[in-house]
Amino acid sequence: MFNIRFLALTSLGFLTLLMGRSAVLAQTPRAEPSKPKETAPPLMSQRSIPRTQQNSIEPEIEPLTLPPSSVEPIPPSRPVQPSAPPELRPGSNPLLFPTSPAEVSPELVQPITLQQAVDLALESSQELEIARLSLQRSQQALQEALAGQFPTIDLSADISRLDSAGTELQLERANAAALQTFGSTGSSISDTLTGQIELNYNVYSGGRIASQIKAARRQSRVSELNLEQVSEDIRFQTTQLYYQLQNADAQETIARAAVEDSAQTLRDAQLLEQAGLGTRFDVLRGEVELANANQDLTQALANQRIARRELAEVINVSQEVILAAADEIAEAGTWDLGLEESIVKAFKNRAELEQFLLEREINEQQRQIALADVRPQVTVFANYNLRNELDDSVTGFGDGYAFGAQLNWRIFDGGSARAQARQSETDILIDEQEFANERDQIRLEVETAYFNLQANQENIQTSEKAVTLAEESLRLARLRFQAGVGTQTDVINSQTELTNARANFLDAIISYNLSLNELQRSVSNYPEGILFDLPDRP
C-alpha cells in the first residue's frame, strides 16, 4: 500500500513539475531563440576553459542588472587580429589628457591576445623609452671619454687696429723735420693680423684617461643590462596582469553559472511547493541562495572591471577601449629544466648580477681616477704662429714656432685624492655585499616559483577530477530533490561544492601559468636567449 501511494505521489509530482516548467519556459522571453542554451559545467571539464556566450537569468527571479558594456561576452568565434588593432594605440602626444566625460567613456570592448598585450606594452612603455635614452646617453659619454686618447688642436686668429697716443706724439716730432725734407707725414694707426695653430697631447695622465674610458664602457654596459631588465619586467608584469584578467573573466563566468544553478533550485522549490510536495521554507532558502549568488556575481563583475583597467594602464591603450582576454584559459607551457639547472641558468642570465659586478669595476676605475690627481702629468705641445702688419707694404708675413714638453705633479693635496680613493674602495665592498644578497634573492625566487609550479601542476589534475565528481553529485542531488526523496540542503551543498570545485580548477590553471611566468622571469629571458653578449673588456 505504501509503495502504491509513493508511486502515485511521485508520478503526480513529476507531472506537476513538467507542466509548471513548460508554463515558465513558455512565458520567458529569449533574446536569441536560435542559439542553444549553454551551461557552465561543460566549461570546466577540459584543461582549457574557453570564454562562452553568457546566459541570461530568468526574468521572474529578478537578477542583478548591470550596464551591458561592462559585461559584454567575448564569443570564441570572434576573429583575433595577429597584430594589435590600431584603435588600441594611444595618441602620439603623451601630454594630452581627457577633459570631458565623453573622452573616457568606454565605447569599445576589444579582445586582445597575450602576445598583442606584450607587444603593445613594449611599444608604448615610457619606462622602456627612458631606459633606451639612458643607454644612448651612456654611449655618448663613452665617446666623450674616448676623445681623451687623441691630441687637441686649437686654431686662433685675430685682427686689430692700434692708434697709440705716444706713437702719435713721436710721429709729430719726426714729421716736423721730415716735412722739410720729404714733404710727407707718417700715421700713428697700425693694422695687425696674427694667427696661431697649437697642438697639445697628454702623454701620461697618471691613469686618468684610461680609467675614464674603462668606467664609461662599464657604464654603457650597465645601461644595456638595465634596458634588458626593464624590458623583461614589462613583459613579466603584462603577462601577470593578463592572466589575472583571464581569472577575472572566468570567475565572472563561474558566478553566472552559480546564479543559474541557484535560479534552477529556486524554480524547483517553487514548483514542488505548488504541487504540495515542498514547503515555503525551501522556497525561502532558495531565494536566499540566489541573492547570495547575485552578490557574488556583482563582486566578480567589479573585479573584472578592475582587472581590465589594470591591464589597460600597463599597456597604455586608448582611453575609450575596454580590454578583454581573447586567449582561452589553458596551461601556458611546460618547464623542461630541473631545479638545479634553473638556478645555474638564473645565475648566468640575470642582468642584476652582472650589473653589480660592473658597478664594482666602475668604482675601481673611480679609485684610479681619484689617485691620478697626485700622480705626474706629462704633456707635449707644439705651435706655429704668423703675423703681418697690414699697413706696412715693405714687410710681409712673419712666422715662428715652438714645441716642448711639460711636467705637472701635485706633491701634496691635503689628502683629498686618498680620501676619494678610500670612498671608492668602500663602494666596492658595498657592491660585493649587494651582489651576494641579490644572488641569494635570485635563488629564492627560482625555488619559490619552481615549487609553486609543481604544486599547481598537481592541483590541476586533482581539481579537474573534483569538478567532474561535483557535477555528478549536483545532478543526482537535484534529481532526488525533484523526486521528493532528497532535501534542498543537499542541492545547495552540491551547488556550493561545484562552484568551489570550478573555482579551484580555474585557480590551479591560473596559478600554474603565473608560477610559470615567475619562473621564466626569475631565470631572465630563458628560453629566448637574447641576453646581450658580453663585450670584450680590455
Side-chain angles (χ1 to χ4, degrees), residues 439-501:
R439 178 198 60 206
D440 297 339
Q441 184 65 31
I442 288 175
R443 174 162 185 169
L444 176 61
E445 292 176 4
V446 174
E447 291 179 338
T448 301
Y450 188 87
F451 294 143
N452 286 335
L453 184 69
Q454 286 186 325
N456 292 320
Q457 191 172 21
E458 296 178 2
N459 289 337
I460 290 176
Q461 301 174 357
T462 304
S463 59
E464 184 179 19
K465 183 178 180 180
V467 169
T468 303
L469 296 176
E471 290 172 351
E472 180 65 16
S473 175
L474 177 60
R475 187 184 69 84
L476 296 176
R478 181 167 284 126
L479 288 176
R480 286 170 55 83
F481 178 62
Q482 292 171 350
V485 296
T487 64
Q488 190 183 41
T489 302
D490 296 335
V491 177
I492 293 176
N493 291 337
S494 297
Q495 288 177 180
T496 303
E497 292 172 357
L498 177 58
T499 301
N500 293 336

Side-chain angles (χ1 to χ4, degrees), residues 201-258:
Y201 182 61
N202 197 325
V203 179
Y204 179 70
S205 63
R208 180 191 302 276
I209 296 177
S211 296
Q212 288 176 340
I213 294 175
K214 291 179 180 179
R217 290 186 188 277
R218 303 303 185 270
Q219 187 58 52
S220 177
R221 174 63 177 165
V222 168
S223 298
E224 288 180 353
L225 294 175
N226 182 65
L227 176 60
E228 177 186 303
Q229 182 181 350
V230 172
S231 175
E232 291 302 313
D233 287 341
I234 293 174
R235 187 188 306 273
F236 168 75
Q237 185 180 8
T238 304
T239 304
Q240 293 290 94
L241 291 176
Y242 190 88
Y243 289 150
Q244 292 175 11
L245 176 57
Q246 283 185 323
N247 184 26
D249 289 344
Q251 290 293 348
E252 184 259 350
T253 302
I254 293 175
R256 285 187 178 275

Side-chain angles (χ1 to χ4, degrees), residues 215-496:
R217 290 186 188 277
R218 303 303 185 270
Q219 187 58 52
S220 177
R221 174 63 177 165
V222 168
S223 298
E224 288 180 353
L225 294 175
N226 182 65
L227 176 60
E228 177 186 303
Q229 182 181 350
V230 172
S231 175
E232 291 302 313
D233 287 341
I234 293 174
R235 187 188 306 273
F236 168 75
Q237 185 180 8
T238 304
T239 304
Q240 293 290 94
L241 291 176
Y242 190 88
Y243 289 150
Q244 292 175 11
L245 176 57
Q246 283 185 323
N247 184 26
D249 289 344
Q251 290 293 348
E252 184 259 350
T253 302
I254 293 175
R256 285 187 178 275
V259 170
E260 288 290 334
D261 291 338
S262 299
Q264 177 66 44
T265 301
L266 177 58
R267 286 192 294 268
D268 293 341
Q270 290 172 340
L271 293 175
L272 288 175
E273 182 189 19
Q274 295 172 5
L277 301 177
T279 64
R280 180 60 180 169
F281 175 73
D282 293 335
V283 175
L284 292 177
R285 292 194 60 184
E287 292 176 351
V288 171
E289 185 68 17
L290 179 59
N292 292 335
N294 273 325
Q295 183 177 357
D296 294 337
L297 176 59
T298 302
Q299 186 61 49
L301 290 170
N303 294 336
Q304 184 186 52
R305 294 169 180 169
I306 295 173
R308 287 174 171 178
R309 180 45 51 192
E310 287 177 342
L311 181 61
E313 188 273 334
V314 170
I315 65 179
N316 192 25
V317 297
S318 176
Q319 297 289 332
E320 297 83 10
V321 174
I322 298 178
L323 296 178
D327 291 341
E328 295 182 353
I329 298 179
E331 297 177 37
T334 59
W335 188 257
D336 300 328
L337 298 180
L339 177 59
E340 292 76 12
E341 294 177 291
S342 301
I343 294 174
V344 174
K345 203 77 174 179
F347 289 159
K348 291 181 179 180
N349 282 5
R350 286 293 289 269
E352 293 86 340
L353 290 179
E354 187 180 352
Q355 281 180 318
F356 284 121
L357 294 178
L358 291 169
E359 291 291 347
R360 183 181 183 278
E361 295 180 10
I362 290 174
N363 286 320
E364 174 60 31
Q365 301 306 320
Q366 293 295 336
R367 176 178 175 273
Q368 298 297 327
I369 293 174
L371 293 176
D373 288 341
V374 291
R375 292 172 180 169
Q377 312 284 323
V378 179
T379 58
V380 295
F381 64 90
N383 65 67
Y384 177 75
N385 56 82
L386 294 172
R387 181 182 178 89
N388 184 22
E389 300 291 341
L390 298 178
D391 52 356
D392 189 350
S393 58
V394 178
T395 61
F397 281 93
D399 62 343
Y401 65 88
F403 62 88
Q406 184 177 6
L407 171 67
N408 293 311
W409 192 349
R410 180 171 294 176
I411 303 299
F412 180 71
D413 67 344
S416 174
R418 298 292 180 183
Q420 294 180 13
R422 286 193 294 269
Q423 293 177 32
S424 298
E425 292 172 358
T426 303
D427 291 336
I428 291 174
L429 297 177
I430 294 175
D431 293 332
E432 293 175 353
Q433 295 303 316
E434 290 179 340
F435 176 87
N437 181 56
E438 186 66 23
R439 178 198 60 206
D440 297 339
Q441 184 65 31
I442 288 175
R443 174 162 185 169
L444 176 61
E445 292 176 4
V446 174
E447 291 179 338
T448 301
Y450 188 87
F451 294 143
N452 286 335
L453 184 69
Q454 286 186 325
N456 292 320
Q457 191 172 21
E458 296 178 2
N459 289 337
I460 290 176
Q461 301 174 357
T462 304
S463 59
E464 184 179 19
K465 183 178 180 180
V467 169
T468 303
L469 296 176
E471 290 172 351
E472 180 65 16
S473 175
L474 177 60
R475 187 184 69 84
L476 296 176
R478 181 167 284 126
L479 288 176
R480 286 170 55 83
F481 178 62
Q482 292 171 350
V485 296
T487 64
Q488 190 183 41
T489 302
D490 296 335
V491 177
I492 293 176
N493 291 337
S494 297
Q495 288 177 180
T496 303

